Amino acid sequence: MPVRDDLRALEGYHSPQVQVRVRLNTNESPFPPPVAWRDAFAEELSRVEWHRYPDRAASELRAGIAAMHGVRPEQVFVANGSNEVLQTVLLTFAGPGRTVATFEPTYQLHGHIARLTGATVAEGERAADFTLDMGEVRRVIRDASPTVTFLCSPNNPTGLEEPEANVRGVLSLAPGLLVVDEAYGQFASWSAMGLVDDELPMVVSRTFSKTWSMAGSRLGYLVGPEWLVAELDKVVLPYHLDAAKQIAGRLALTFVAEMDERVQLIVAERERLAAAMGSMPIDVVPSGANFILFRPRGRSGRAVWQGLLDRSVLIRDCSGWPRLADCLRVTVGTPQENDEFLTALSEVMQ
Ligand SMILES: *Cc1c(COP(=O)(O)O)cnc(C)c1O
């Protein structure tokens, strides 16, 4: 049975897993959610009316997220992970005959999901230091007239924050919708969330997977103009957010202080890691996220990755990805995991 012609050339999304002692490859939180959250969740789960459909609008969850960001519930769209948020945006604004702009290297799924909707992807190039060149932004936007333009801040896999001037610059140049993916926004020094306005064609997406220690629950959202959220609500499948997920998210919002503590600890550990790695023969990309991209000097990235794996430390091997020759990405773990990583890394770099 032939699949769609345009899908045949596509590859799926891969994130290889192996059994290791220290797993620092997928940018999850190294800490489980608070025990009190687990208890409250279990308690509410026992009272779910499973024979009924869940609240289709996820009203309480939306209201909670809106309150946290100081926006109206009508400006919040919630979905199964921010990947489903992005998919819904692209189903609504991309599709056949339309173009989506990305600035590479960036999160692979932006281009991948865009292609799945049948859209063409215009790949702009970042500078050698992975920063965004506004001349290149102008060129891509002039040549491609994208209906959707992606930024990712902090950018995955580089870790770089997009300066506010760049976000404002792209917003003023882009003819269509600007999506700012802030999957790592809480670890950064600023957020584009404050720019969101009903009159501006811009959305900011977030996820519970990284900061909130809830990758297992698949929950993400965006904040954007009210009219746009209403369009997304038409496109997404009815009842896509199950009852358990709505409870999980709503309860998580009552543990903001605990999450902030985790973020502070991870940011402090990130700075400790970056400093230690900087004292080795390694080029470290400045990170505003919970991971660090680096390039060993005088050693192949692949060999360093294998050396770490031989010591049961798994990080992400980006060395074979386009534009990322010899680059590796390590997720910030617990202080003990980070120590083990640094010990293994200094052995491998000897
Ligand atoms: C992890 C990640 C996501 C996906 O998050 P989910 O909410 O788990 O789907 C989105 N964008 C970026 C840049 C990510 O790194």
Side-chain angles (χ1 to χ4, degrees):
M1 190 51 197
V3 300
R4 271 164 44 192
D5 292 336
D6 58 329
L7 295 188
R8 237 176 272 156
L10 291 187
E11 283 185 38
Y13 179 77
H14 298 290
S15 183
Q17 296 297 340
V18 269
Q19 279 308 317
V20 286
R21 204 177 59 247
V22 180
R23 189 145 70 84
L24 301 174
N25 66 329
T26 45
N27 297 349
E28 294 147 321
S29 172
F31 308 109
V35 173
W37 174 85
R38 294 180 79 114
D39 292 346
F41 181 51
E43 204 278 317
E44 281 212 35
L45 263 191
S46 69
R47 288 189 280 115
V48 170
E49 293 186 1
W50 287 109
H51 57 302
R52 301 294 182 196
Y53 279 109
D55 172 13
R56 182 169 170 183
S59 319
E60 284 186 55
L61 179 55
R62 272 190 210 218
I65 292 168
M68 180 172 64
H69 289 296
V71 299
R72 301 187 309 282
E74 294 76 19
Q75 294 177 288
V76 177
F77 174 76
V78 190
N80 293 287
S82 55
N83 285 332
E84 195 192 32
V85 171
L86 301 176
Q87 182 192 47
T88 309
V89 167
L90 290 165
L91 284 172
T92 309
F93 294 98
R98 294 184 167 208
T99 301
V100 172
T102 62
F103 295 92
E104 304 290 332
T106 190
Y107 188 48
Q108 292 170 8
L109 282 184
H110 295 159
H112 181 72
I113 301 172
R115 290 184 184 97
L116 290 178
T117 71
T120 302
V121 177
E123 294 188 343
E125 299 291 330
R126 287 172 179 273
D129 63 359
F130 304 128
T131 57
L132 193 62
D133 168 26
M134 290 309 285
E136 173 72 349
V137 172
R138 262 184 220 99
R139 183 191 70 76
V140 169
I141 284 176
R142 187 190 56 229
D143 292 355
S145 276
T147 52
V148 180
T149 300
F150 274 100
L151 289 178
C152 187
S153 182
N155 189 25
N156 183 7
T158 67
L160 281 182
E161 290 182 28
E162 208 61 78
E164 179 167 352
N166 285 0
V167 175
R168 287 183 183 274
V170 174
L171 187 57
S172 69
L173 291 170
L177 176 67
L178 171 62
V179 178
V180 183
D181 183 338
E182 286 195 355
Y184 305 95
Q186 291 94 329
F187 302 104
S189 61
W190 85 284
S191 167
M193 205 58 101
L195 302 180
V196 171
D197 187 295
D198 273 346
E199 305 305 319
L200 284 180
M202 180 181 90
V203 297
V204 177
S205 66
R206 288 272 179 106
T207 175
F208 282 62
S209 296
K210 296 2 192 286
T211 324
W212 286 90
S213 303
M214 283 172 59
S217 83
R218 311 300 305 124
L219 187 58
Y221 62 93
L222 68 69
V223 177
E226 184 173 333
W227 69 267
L228 184 145
V229 169
E231 295 298 327
L232 301 182
D233 278 329
K234 285 189 218 161
V235 171
V236 79
L237 293 175
Y239 305 111
H240 66 134
L241 291 174
D242 66 73
K245 189 184 318 268
Q246 293 189 36
I247 294 170
R250 186 163 48 68
L251 290 173
L253 296 174
T254 64
F255 291 90
V256 173
E258 286 81 351
M259 291 304 155
D260 282 345
E261 258 172 53
R262 287 166 164 71
V263 170
Q264 298 314 318
L265 182 56
I266 288 169
V267 168
E269 282 293 298
R270 177 188 77 205
E271 296 308 311
R272 181 172 76 90
L273 275 180
M277 293 160 73
S279 70
M280 301 180 202
I282 290 175
D283 293 326
V284 178
V285 180
S287 172
N290 67 340
F291 59 85
I292 297 173
L293 189 79
F294 65 99
R295 185 186 276 134
R297 286 197 298 267
R299 301 286 305 275
S300 92
R302 180 74 196 181
V304 172
W305 180 82
Q306 185 63 51
L308 292 169
L309 189 57
D310 293 343
R311 289 161 180 79
S312 206
V313 176
L314 176 65
I315 65 172
R316 196 75 188 261
D317 179 12
C318 312
S319 64
W321 300 4
R323 307 168 185 87
L324 290 169
D326 288 317
C327 288
L328 304 174
R329 190 193 71 190
V330 60
T331 304
V332 179
T334 62
Q336 193 198 329
E337 287 172 327
N338 299 334
D339 284 342
E340 292 200 47
F341 163 72
L342 285 175
T343 303
L345 184 63
S346 61
E347 281 174 24
V348 173
M349 292 302 295
Q350 292 276 297

